[in-house]
PDB file of all heavy atoms in Angstrom:
ATOM      1  N   THR A 440      -1.937   9.290   1.394  1.00 94.00           N
ATOM      2  CA  THR A 440      -1.821  10.113   2.562  1.00 94.00           C
ATOM      3  C   THR A 440      -1.070   9.309   3.621  1.00 94.00           C
ATOM      4  O   THR A 440      -0.909   8.090   3.529  1.00 94.00           O
ATOM      5  CB  THR A 440      -3.205  10.406   3.176  1.00 94.00           C
ATOM      6  OG1 THR A 440      -3.798   9.193   3.637  1.00 94.00           O
ATOM      7  CG2 THR A 440      -4.131  11.071   2.179  1.00 94.00           C
ATOM      8  N   ALA A 441      -0.533  10.022   4.609  1.00 94.00           N
ATOM      9  CA  ALA A 441       0.185   9.328   5.719  1.00 94.00           C
ATOM     10  C   ALA A 441      -0.734   8.314   6.372  1.00 94.00           C
ATOM     11  O   ALA A 441      -0.260   7.177   6.722  1.00 94.00           O
ATOM     12  CB  ALA A 441       0.700  10.397   6.743  1.00 94.00           C
ATOM     13  N   ASP A 442      -2.021   8.657   6.643  1.00 96.00           N
ATOM     14  CA  ASP A 442      -2.920   7.750   7.265  1.00 96.00           C
ATOM     15  C   ASP A 442      -3.090   6.485   6.407  1.00 96.00           C
ATOM     16  O   ASP A 442      -3.148   5.340   6.958  1.00 96.00           O
ATOM     17  CB  ASP A 442      -4.308   8.391   7.471  1.00 96.00           C
ATOM     18  CG  ASP A 442      -4.275   9.350   8.640  1.00 96.00           C
ATOM     19  OD1 ASP A 442      -3.386   9.354   9.445  1.00 96.00           O
ATOM     20  OD2 ASP A 442      -5.225  10.242   8.657  1.00 96.00           O
ATOM     21  N   GLN A 443      -3.216   6.600   5.066  1.00 96.00           N
ATOM     22  CA  GLN A 443      -3.343   5.454   4.201  1.00 96.00           C
ATOM     23  C   GLN A 443      -2.083   4.589   4.277  1.00 96.00           C
ATOM     24  O   GLN A 443      -2.149   3.401   4.296  1.00 96.00           O
ATOM     25  CB  GLN A 443      -3.631   5.927   2.772  1.00 96.00           C
ATOM     26  CG  GLN A 443      -5.027   6.492   2.592  1.00 96.00           C
ATOM     27  CD  GLN A 443      -5.160   7.028   1.204  1.00 96.00           C
ATOM     28  OE1 GLN A 443      -4.245   7.676   0.657  1.00 96.00           O
ATOM     29  NE2 GLN A 443      -6.299   6.813   0.613  1.00 96.00           N
ATOM     30  N   LEU A 444      -0.913   5.196   4.238  1.00 95.00           N
ATOM     31  CA  LEU A 444       0.303   4.488   4.333  1.00 95.00           C
ATOM     32  C   LEU A 444       0.456   3.656   5.627  1.00 95.00           C
ATOM     33  O   LEU A 444       0.859   2.499   5.552  1.00 95.00           O
ATOM     34  CB  LEU A 444       1.506   5.454   4.169  1.00 95.00           C
ATOM     35  CG  LEU A 444       2.789   4.857   3.610  1.00 95.00           C
ATOM     36  CD1 LEU A 444       2.607   4.164   2.326  1.00 95.00           C
ATOM     37  CD2 LEU A 444       3.834   5.974   3.567  1.00 95.00           C
ATOM     38  N   PHE A 445       0.084   4.266   6.731  1.00 96.00           N
ATOM     39  CA  PHE A 445       0.084   3.558   7.983  1.00 96.00           C
ATOM     40  C   PHE A 445      -0.920   2.391   8.004  1.00 96.00           C
ATOM     41  O   PHE A 445      -0.659   1.347   8.569  1.00 96.00           O
ATOM     42  CB  PHE A 445      -0.097   4.485   9.188  1.00 96.00           C
ATOM     43  CG  PHE A 445       1.218   5.236   9.523  1.00 96.00           C
ATOM     44  CD1 PHE A 445       1.294   6.554   9.176  1.00 96.00           C
ATOM     45  CD2 PHE A 445       2.214   4.587  10.195  1.00 96.00           C
ATOM     46  CE1 PHE A 445       2.483   7.221   9.451  1.00 96.00           C
ATOM     47  CE2 PHE A 445       3.395   5.301  10.518  1.00 96.00           C
ATOM     48  CZ  PHE A 445       3.519   6.642  10.148  1.00 96.00           C
ATOM     49  N   ALA A 446      -2.047   2.639   7.400  1.00 97.00           N
ATOM     50  CA  ALA A 446      -3.093   1.578   7.353  1.00 97.00           C
ATOM     51  C   ALA A 446      -2.548   0.416   6.561  1.00 97.00           C
ATOM     52  O   ALA A 446      -2.789  -0.780   6.882  1.00 97.00           O
ATOM     53  CB  ALA A 446      -4.405   2.111   6.780  1.00 97.00           C
ATOM     54  N   LEU A 447      -1.935   0.730   5.387  1.00 96.00           N
ATOM     55  CA  LEU A 447      -1.355  -0.330   4.601  1.00 96.00           C
ATOM     56  C   LEU A 447      -0.259  -1.058   5.337  1.00 96.00           C
ATOM     57  O   LEU A 447      -0.178  -2.372   5.232  1.00 96.00           O
ATOM     58  CB  LEU A 447      -0.735   0.290   3.301  1.00 96.00           C
ATOM     59  CG  LEU A 447      -1.787   0.653   2.192  1.00 96.00           C
ATOM     60  CD1 LEU A 447      -1.193   1.659   1.227  1.00 96.00           C
ATOM     61  CD2 LEU A 447      -2.240  -0.610   1.510  1.00 96.00           C
ATOM     62  N   ALA A 448       0.591  -0.364   6.043  1.00 95.00           N
ATOM     63  CA  ALA A 448       1.671  -1.065   6.813  1.00 95.00           C
ATOM     64  C   ALA A 448       1.072  -1.988   7.909  1.00 95.00           C
ATOM     65  O   ALA A 448       1.494  -3.078   8.073  1.00 95.00           O
ATOM     66  CB  ALA A 448       2.539   0.004   7.538  1.00 95.00           C
ATOM     67  N   ASP A 449      -0.039  -1.555   8.539  1.00 96.00           N
ATOM     68  CA  ASP A 449      -0.723  -2.387   9.492  1.00 96.00           C
ATOM     69  C   ASP A 449      -1.307  -3.637   8.833  1.00 96.00           C
ATOM     70  O   ASP A 449      -1.095  -4.713   9.344  1.00 96.00           O
ATOM     71  CB  ASP A 449      -1.848  -1.649  10.284  1.00 96.00           C
ATOM     72  CG  ASP A 449      -1.390  -0.685  11.335  1.00 96.00           C
ATOM     73  OD1 ASP A 449      -0.155  -0.829  11.714  1.00 96.00           O
ATOM     74  OD2 ASP A 449      -2.164   0.142  11.750  1.00 96.00           O
ATOM     75  N   LEU A 450      -1.954  -3.397   7.706  1.00 96.00           N
ATOM     76  CA  LEU A 450      -2.536  -4.552   7.021  1.00 96.00           C
ATOM     77  C   LEU A 450      -1.536  -5.530   6.594  1.00 96.00           C
ATOM     78  O   LEU A 450      -1.754  -6.760   6.714  1.00 96.00           O
ATOM     79  CB  LEU A 450      -3.262  -4.046   5.724  1.00 96.00           C
ATOM     80  CG  LEU A 450      -3.834  -5.078   4.794  1.00 96.00           C
ATOM     81  CD1 LEU A 450      -4.962  -5.786   5.451  1.00 96.00           C
ATOM     82  CD2 LEU A 450      -4.244  -4.489   3.499  1.00 96.00           C
ATOM     83  N   LEU A 451      -0.395  -5.082   6.122  1.00 94.00           N
ATOM     84  CA  LEU A 451       0.631  -6.055   5.606  1.00 94.00           C
ATOM     85  C   LEU A 451       1.654  -6.462   6.606  1.00 94.00           C
ATOM     86  O   LEU A 451       2.567  -7.177   6.340  1.00 94.00           O
ATOM     87  CB  LEU A 451       1.356  -5.370   4.392  1.00 94.00           C
ATOM     88  CG  LEU A 451       0.451  -4.965   3.206  1.00 94.00           C
ATOM     89  CD1 LEU A 451       1.153  -4.250   2.218  1.00 94.00           C
ATOM     90  CD2 LEU A 451      -0.086  -6.226   2.612  1.00 94.00           C
ATOM     91  N   HIS A 452       1.391  -5.946   7.858  1.00 92.00           N
ATOM     92  CA  HIS A 452       2.277  -6.340   9.016  1.00 92.00           C
ATOM     93  C   HIS A 452       3.801  -5.933   8.701  1.00 92.00           C
ATOM     94  O   HIS A 452       4.663  -6.796   8.912  1.00 92.00           O
ATOM     95  CB  HIS A 452       2.145  -7.772   9.413  1.00 92.00           C
ATOM     96  CG  HIS A 452       0.794  -8.174   9.840  1.00 92.00           C
ATOM     97  ND1 HIS A 452       0.435  -8.052  11.216  1.00 92.00           N
ATOM     98  CD2 HIS A 452      -0.292  -8.533   9.179  1.00 92.00           C
ATOM     99  CE1 HIS A 452      -0.786  -8.473  11.299  1.00 92.00           C
ATOM    100  NE2 HIS A 452      -1.317  -8.688  10.116  1.00 92.00           N
ATOM    101  N   VAL A 453       3.957  -4.746   8.266  1.00 91.00           N
ATOM    102  CA  VAL A 453       5.332  -4.269   7.952  1.00 91.00           C
ATOM    103  C   VAL A 453       5.404  -2.849   8.646  1.00 91.00           C
ATOM    104  O   VAL A 453       4.430  -2.244   8.956  1.00 91.00           O
ATOM    105  CB  VAL A 453       5.690  -4.143   6.524  1.00 91.00           C
ATOM    106  CG1 VAL A 453       5.692  -5.493   5.886  1.00 91.00           C
ATOM    107  CG2 VAL A 453       4.790  -3.194   5.824  1.00 91.00           C
ATOM    108  N   ASP A 454       6.709  -2.438   8.893  1.00 88.00           N
ATOM    109  CA  ASP A 454       6.934  -1.048   9.295  1.00 88.00           C
ATOM    110  C   ASP A 454       6.681  -0.175   8.057  1.00 88.00           C
ATOM    111  O   ASP A 454       6.948  -0.547   6.902  1.00 88.00           O
ATOM    112  CB  ASP A 454       8.365  -0.983   9.764  1.00 88.00           C
ATOM    113  CG  ASP A 454       8.630   0.404  10.358  1.00 88.00           C
ATOM    114  OD1 ASP A 454       8.317   0.533  11.582  1.00 88.00           O
ATOM    115  OD2 ASP A 454       9.141   1.292   9.665  1.00 88.00           O
ATOM    116  N   VAL A 455       6.222   1.007   8.280  1.00 89.00           N
ATOM    117  CA  VAL A 455       5.951   1.978   7.211  1.00 89.00           C
ATOM    118  C   VAL A 455       7.161   2.204   6.318  1.00 89.00           C
ATOM    119  O   VAL A 455       7.044   2.448   5.097  1.00 89.00           O
ATOM    120  CB  VAL A 455       5.346   3.242   7.715  1.00 89.00           C
ATOM    121  CG1 VAL A 455       6.365   4.101   8.444  1.00 89.00           C
ATOM    122  CG2 VAL A 455       4.653   4.035   6.671  1.00 89.00           C
ATOM    123  N   THR A 456       8.377   2.052   6.823  1.00 85.00           N
ATOM    124  CA  THR A 456       9.579   2.246   6.058  1.00 85.00           C
ATOM    125  C   THR A 456       9.756   1.129   5.023  1.00 85.00           C
ATOM    126  O   THR A 456      10.552   1.297   4.011  1.00 85.00           O
ATOM    127  CB  THR A 456      10.829   2.270   6.968  1.00 85.00           C
ATOM    128  OG1 THR A 456      10.949   1.000   7.672  1.00 85.00           O
ATOM    129  CG2 THR A 456      10.752   3.423   7.963  1.00 85.00           C
ATOM    130  N   ALA A 457       9.036   0.022   5.079  1.00 86.00           N
ATOM    131  CA  ALA A 457       9.133  -1.026   4.083  1.00 86.00           C
ATOM    132  C   ALA A 457       8.720  -0.582   2.717  1.00 86.00           C
ATOM    133  O   ALA A 457       9.168  -1.202   1.727  1.00 86.00           O
ATOM    134  CB  ALA A 457       8.230  -2.243   4.579  1.00 86.00           C
ATOM    135  N   PHE A 458       7.943   0.462   2.600  1.00 86.00           N
ATOM    136  CA  PHE A 458       7.438   0.946   1.303  1.00 86.00           C
ATOM    137  C   PHE A 458       8.492   1.736   0.532  1.00 86.00           C
ATOM    138  O   PHE A 458       8.290   2.078  -0.626  1.00 86.00           O
ATOM    139  CB  PHE A 458       6.223   1.774   1.517  1.00 86.00           C
ATOM    140  CG  PHE A 458       5.088   1.033   2.110  1.00 86.00           C
ATOM    141  CD1 PHE A 458       4.557   1.354   3.272  1.00 86.00           C
ATOM    142  CD2 PHE A 458       4.502  -0.086   1.446  1.00 86.00           C
ATOM    143  CE1 PHE A 458       3.479   0.671   3.846  1.00 86.00           C
ATOM    144  CE2 PHE A 458       3.475  -0.820   2.015  1.00 86.00           C
ATOM    145  CZ  PHE A 458       2.956  -0.374   3.262  1.00 86.00           C
ATOM    146  N   PHE A 459       9.671   1.928   1.172  1.00 80.00           N
ATOM    147  CA  PHE A 459      10.598   2.842   0.481  1.00 80.00           C
ATOM    148  C   PHE A 459      11.821   1.965   0.022  1.00 80.00           C
ATOM    149  O   PHE A 459      12.204   1.022   0.640  1.00 80.00           O
ATOM    150  CB  PHE A 459      11.107   3.977   1.549  1.00 80.00           C
ATOM    151  CG  PHE A 459       9.861   4.734   1.895  1.00 80.00           C
ATOM    152  CD1 PHE A 459       9.275   4.536   3.099  1.00 80.00           C
ATOM    153  CD2 PHE A 459       9.424   5.763   1.030  1.00 80.00           C
ATOM    154  CE1 PHE A 459       8.128   5.309   3.403  1.00 80.00           C
ATOM    155  CE2 PHE A 459       8.318   6.469   1.357  1.00 80.00           C
ATOM    156  CZ  PHE A 459       7.693   6.266   2.528  1.00 80.00           C
ATOM    157  N   PRO A 460      12.360   2.333  -1.124  1.00 70.00           N
ATOM    158  CA  PRO A 460      13.279   1.459  -1.839  1.00 70.00           C
ATOM    159  C   PRO A 460      14.433   0.827  -1.015  1.00 70.00           C
ATOM    160  O   PRO A 460      14.702  -0.354  -1.259  1.00 70.00           O
ATOM    161  CB  PRO A 460      13.857   2.370  -2.957  1.00 70.00           C
ATOM    162  CG  PRO A 460      12.839   3.417  -3.175  1.00 70.00           C
ATOM    163  CD  PRO A 460      12.150   3.560  -1.818  1.00 70.00           C
ATOM    164  N   LEU A 461      15.039   1.562  -0.163  1.00 62.00           N
ATOM    165  CA  LEU A 461      16.134   0.958   0.623  1.00 62.00           C
ATOM    166  C   LEU A 461      15.679  -0.191   1.522  1.00 62.00           C
ATOM    167  O   LEU A 461      16.499  -1.077   1.869  1.00 62.00           O
ATOM    168  CB  LEU A 461      16.835   2.003   1.406  1.00 62.00           C
ATOM    169  CG  LEU A 461      17.584   3.093   0.651  1.00 62.00           C
ATOM    170  CD1 LEU A 461      18.147   4.143   1.597  1.00 62.00           C
ATOM    171  CD2 LEU A 461      18.719   2.450  -0.175  1.00 62.00           C
ATOM    172  N   ASN A 462      14.479  -0.238   1.887  1.00 62.00           N
ATOM    173  CA  ASN A 462      13.952  -1.237   2.787  1.00 62.00           C
ATOM    174  C   ASN A 462      13.110  -2.313   2.165  1.00 62.00           C
ATOM    175  O   ASN A 462      12.905  -3.347   2.803  1.00 62.00           O
ATOM    176  CB  ASN A 462      13.149  -0.609   3.937  1.00 62.00           C
ATOM    177  CG  ASN A 462      14.004   0.319   4.745  1.00 62.00           C
ATOM    178  OD1 ASN A 462      15.053  -0.053   5.251  1.00 62.00           O
ATOM    179  ND2 ASN A 462      13.538   1.569   4.968  1.00 62.00           N
ATOM    180  N   LEU A 463      12.551  -2.072   0.980  1.00 65.00           N
ATOM    181  CA  LEU A 463      11.689  -2.986   0.297  1.00 65.00           C
ATOM    182  C   LEU A 463      12.246  -4.381   0.111  1.00 65.00           C
ATOM    183  O   LEU A 463      11.583  -5.402   0.438  1.00 65.00           O
ATOM    184  CB  LEU A 463      11.234  -2.404  -1.030  1.00 65.00           C
ATOM    185  CG  LEU A 463      10.270  -3.249  -1.853  1.00 65.00           C
ATOM    186  CD1 LEU A 463       9.001  -3.544  -1.078  1.00 65.00           C
ATOM    187  CD2 LEU A 463       9.983  -2.611  -3.182  1.00 65.00           C
ATOM    188  N   ASN A 464      13.462  -4.506  -0.392  1.00 67.00           N
ATOM    189  CA  ASN A 464      14.018  -5.789  -0.635  1.00 67.00           C
ATOM    190  C   ASN A 464      14.177  -6.589   0.584  1.00 67.00           C
ATOM    191  O   ASN A 464      14.005  -7.820   0.621  1.00 67.00           O
ATOM    192  CB  ASN A 464      15.348  -5.616  -1.410  1.00 67.00           C
ATOM    193  CG  ASN A 464      15.109  -5.298  -2.855  1.00 67.00           C
ATOM    194  OD1 ASN A 464      14.094  -5.576  -3.439  1.00 67.00           O
ATOM    195  ND2 ASN A 464      16.091  -4.617  -3.448  1.00 67.00           N
TER     196      ASN A 464
END
Side-chain angles (χ1 to χ4, degrees):
T440 67
D442 287 341
Q443 288 173 319
L444 203 56
F445 281 103
L447 283 160
D449 281 348
L450 173 69
L451 299 172
H452 296 269
V453 296
D454 187 83
V455 73
T456 61
F458 299 116
F459 300 98
L461 292 176
N462 297 309
L463 179 60
N464 287 333

